[in-house]
Amino acid sequence: MTAPIDATSTSAWAELTAHHSSFSPDLRGWFAADAGRVERMSLPLGDLHVDLSKNLVTDEILASLVKLAEQTGVADRYAAMLAGEHINTTEDRAVLHTALRRPADAEPHLVVDGQDIDADVQEVLGKVAAFAERVRTGEWKGVTGKTVTHVVNIGIGGSDLGPVMIYEALKPYATAGIEARFVSNIDPTDIAQKTADLDPETTLFIVASKTFTTLETLTNARLARDWLWESLSAVGAIAGDEASEADAVAHHFVAVSTALDRVAAFGINTDNAFGFWDWVGGRYSVNSAIGLSLAISLGPDVFGDLLAGFHTVDEHVRTTPLEKNVPVLMGLLNVWYGNFLGSQSHAVLPYAQQLNRFPAYLQQLTMESNGKSVRWDGTPVTTDTGEVFWGEPGTNGQHAFYQLIHQGTHLIPADFIALANPAYPLEDGGQDVHALFLANFLAQTKALAFGKTAEEVEAEGTTGALVAARTFTGNKPTTSIFAPALTPQVLGQLIGLYEHITFTQGVIWGINSFDQWGVELGKQLALQIAPAIEGDDAALAGQDASTQALIAYYKANRT
Ligand code: F6P
């Protein structure tokens, strides 16, 4: 195992520490003094135009950050990942989500641990596309001979967040008349509400689980199966016997998993199961068969274009010098803000209603990846890691939490994402509503960067204590990510960008961004506590006083 390089012991870190000791951000001054700043700091990434100029960095600081990436071996680590080295050290696995979007004709084939990765990926992709076409053309029929109108993806975490986010984002491409729904929460409300108005004869469930052991997903899959049987029986579509129930499952359930034996044990025919591999992390799995709901609802071509968008970014990261490498630079900026300027959270603010689930998707990607206290060799981290990612689509966020970003005491770097063309061009009495929308994006990034001085406030006639209240310090850092439109390629590029930002930060901190041991303890305890709630006195006695009291409250109030 290659030992992580301690970023804090590099000369680049020392340089950054020195920059910080005399640091006094001045975006107004920097813009006034440097006519080339915007052009120099605006970079292309596939179809994306990324403007870094409103970040709190000088050229010198950026150069030191790039040096930090060099000295911590970001490029080498990336090459190791692409080559299939087992950089997921705690699980002794390769990390090859990038292989899921290699072009079909990629040569030479990527062979890792004796597996022809390219051949296997293409085989499953072909199977996914063929199945999606069968459903879309109506060749695939439910147990009563009806075609599918709804696919319901049952999964959680990486087996849910990517598909639901992308479906929301690319809904205008869902033209085949098949609606996708997503059930994730074990709260029975989720499945009850999502199935309430569905016709069982035209519904296809996809049980998506990498491990096929996840409590939430298997519970929801059983509830869905019960719903299917009961509602088909209720309309006389099936008899209540075992054979017709099995037939109903065969026509209305498919699965996506790395554990096909468990799929079979659940009663799903493995002919209708789509595999993937342990070298695909859950939160990096939307390019795998986990995207089946997307291939069905949006079409295999759209899914292919999405993969191509991801691949564009993979190639950019692989071939672009660090000083022009957009994901690397954005990762480095996050390190600057988190490790030197003390910020603890990062807002992602899409000016695109279609991206309303993008912040939630990024929360798993970034926080499950980089919320770690030990490095990939088991030693403690040497600096803070993993900021909190959060956000909401603009302009909703403006009327909720932007106050704190503008005038609060915490430094919150923010990424603004905008599209030149809307999915739905509408006018309000001659006013292009999208232009008005984008005016807000531009206004917010401008206000955050340049603020409003007390003199400017006074010049408007404000006096006394109100002057301070109406003053904006500015120097609130933002990155603007602009694209022509939310096409499948653009969305793939956007997601790929954040995957590689996350990767860059992980390497600099020396952590394994591909395991998630931190979610295990709660899962184990839930299994121990469940019997205590259900009346097992011994299990109850084993709980701490607070948990016992909360269980007592539950029992007293549960009707
Ligand atoms: O929450 C932990 C986790 O393991 C995630 O990493 C994963 O995406 C999710 O659970 C779902 O896991 P699975 O796909 O195996 O059901």
Side-chain angles (χ1 to χ4, degrees):
M1 179 197 306
T2 321
I5 296 163
D6 180 357
T8 66
S9 68
T10 62
S11 63
W13 196 273
E15 280 178 26
L16 290 162
T17 307
H19 288 310
H20 178 235
S21 64
S22 58
F23 187 60
S24 172
D26 181 16
L27 282 170
R28 275 193 186 217
W30 294 340
F31 268 70
D34 179 3
R37 180 179 171 95
V38 175
E39 198 184 333
R40 234 177 24 258
M41 294 193 183
S42 294
L43 298 167
L45 170 60
D47 298 314
L48 311 181
H49 169 84
V50 181
D51 179 353
L52 302 175
S53 67
K54 296 197 196 81
N55 280 284
L56 301 186
V57 280
T58 58
D59 288 339
E60 293 71 32
I61 292 170
L62 263 186
S64 298
L65 286 168
V66 168
K67 200 189 267 188
L68 181 66
E70 284 162 4
Q71 293 182 348
T72 51
V74 169
D76 287 349
R77 195 79 181 159
Y78 188 63
M81 178 171 80
L82 294 187
E85 282 182 33
H86 286 207
I87 66 167
N88 178 352
T89 46
T90 60
E91 296 176 300
D92 192 17
R93 288 176 185 167
V95 174
L96 282 170
H97 49 278
T98 50
L100 298 169
R101 55 256 192 162
R102 272 163 63 90
D105 56 0
E107 291 291 347
H109 274 206
L110 180 64
V111 177
V112 174
D113 301 333
Q115 182 187 4
D116 185 333
I117 303 282
D118 287 324
D120 287 356
V121 165
Q122 291 306 320
E123 187 193 331
V124 174
L125 263 181
K127 198 174 160 191
V128 164
F131 182 76
E133 283 302 355
R134 287 179 69 196
V135 177
R136 288 165 67 81
T137 58
E139 185 195 327
W140 177 276
K141 294 193 168 47
V143 70
T144 57
K146 292 189 178 169
T147 57
V148 172
T149 59
H150 291 80
V151 285
V152 180
N153 186 82
I154 300 176
I156 198 164
S159 300
D160 166 72
L161 287 162
V164 69
M165 180 272 286
I166 292 172
Y167 180 69
E168 288 290 316
L170 298 181
K171 234 184 229 171
Y173 291 83
T175 53
I178 299 175
E179 183 188 319
R181 294 188 184 182
F182 299 86
V183 173
S184 54
N185 202 332
I186 198 171
D187 181 337
T189 310
D190 201 10
I191 189 142
Q193 291 186 340
K194 302 266 174 60
T195 52
D197 61 343
L198 287 183
D199 176 352
E201 296 178 66
T202 61
T203 299
L204 178 67
F205 290 99
I206 300 171
V207 185
S209 174
K210 178 177 170 178
T211 55
F212 228 77
T213 58
T214 304
L215 179 71
E216 292 86 342
T217 300
L218 293 188
T219 305
N220 278 324
R222 283 189 294 271
L223 291 173
R225 194 174 54 182
D226 290 347
W227 172 86
L228 181 79
W229 287 337
E230 278 162 26
S231 44
L232 284 174
S233 298
V235 294
I238 59 166
D241 62 294
E242 226 174 82
S244 57
E245 286 187 345
D247 195 31
V249 170
H251 284 83
H252 294 271
F253 272 80
V254 297
V256 181
S257 185
T258 58
L260 297 183
D261 50 337
R262 296 197 191 109
V263 171
F266 183 85
I268 296 175
N269 185 341
T270 48
D271 289 347
N272 301 327
F274 302 83
F276 62 114
W277 308 272
D278 69 0
W279 38 260
V280 182
R283 55 195 172 274
Y284 298 89
S285 67
V286 73
N287 295 157
S288 73
I290 287 290
L292 181 64
S293 56
L294 302 171
I296 295 173
S297 58
L298 307 174
D301 291 346
V302 170
F303 194 62
D305 288 347
L306 185 76
L307 301 192
F310 277 90
H311 183 67
T312 300
V313 181
D314 299 340
E315 284 297 281
H316 171 97
V317 177
R318 191 176 68 80
T319 59
T320 310
L322 295 178
E323 62 274 15
K324 300 269 180 217
N325 198 311
V326 175
V328 170
L329 289 173
M330 287 179 70
L332 289 167
L333 287 168
N334 291 351
V335 168
W336 172 241
Y337 294 128
N339 294 133
F340 293 90
L341 303 192
S343 80
Q344 295 188 342
S345 83
H346 192 108
V348 179
L349 309 167
Y351 277 65
Q353 181 62 26
Q354 288 162 270
L355 290 174
N356 71 84
R357 294 291 289 163
F358 193 55
Y361 172 81
L362 290 185
Q363 287 184 326
Q364 186 196 19
L365 174 65
T366 59
M367 291 157 73
E368 204 171 71
S369 294
N370 285 343
K372 311 280 167 68
S373 301
V374 291
R375 299 188 292 170
W376 68 62
D377 63 350
T379 57
V381 294
T382 57
T383 186
D384 279 341
T385 66
E387 62 275 56
V388 175
F389 273 76
W390 58 284
E392 278 288 322
T395 56
N396 295 4
Q398 287 175 210
H399 294 275
F401 52 77
Y402 277 36
Q403 166 66 38
L404 185 143
I405 305 180
H406 280 288
Q407 289 188 316
T409 56
H410 297 283
L411 179 71
I412 302 178
D415 299 343
F416 282 69
I417 302 168
L419 305 156
N421 291 286
Y424 303 96
L426 297 177
E427 287 194 358
D428 172 29
Q431 162 76 59
D432 177 349
V433 179
H434 191 64
L436 196 55
F437 184 33
L438 291 195
N440 278 276
F441 144 60
L442 297 169
Q444 292 298 328
T445 52
K446 182 173 177 154
L448 288 164
F450 306 117
K452 190 170 184 181
T453 63
E455 294 71 43
E456 287 167 343
V457 174
E458 280 166 348
E460 291 175 344
T462 302
T463 54
L466 256 187
V467 173
R470 289 187 163 181
T471 298
F472 292 69
T473 60
N475 293 320
K476 311 287 186 187
T478 63
T479 293
S480 295
I481 303 169
F482 225 153
L486 196 56
T487 61
Q489 289 95 334
V490 163
L491 183 61
Q493 290 164 19
L494 209 45
I495 305 168
L497 166 63
Y498 281 90
E499 282 186 357
H500 294 306
I501 292 171
T502 304
F503 177 84
T504 302
Q505 292 180 247
V507 176
I508 289 166
W509 292 323
I511 59 185
N512 174 6
S513 300
F514 304 101
D515 62 8
Q516 58 283 322
W517 297 104
V519 295
E520 290 305 319
L521 179 59
K523 288 186 195 173
Q524 282 167 13
L525 293 182
L527 292 177
Q528 286 169 21
I529 291 172
I533 302 176
E534 296 270 22
D536 179 333
D537 288 341
L540 184 62
Q543 305 304 325
D544 63 89
S546 170
T547 304
Q548 285 179 354
L550 291 167
I551 291 172
Y553 176 88
Y554 166 76
K555 286 182 171 164
N557 286 280
R558 175 70 192 257
T559 49

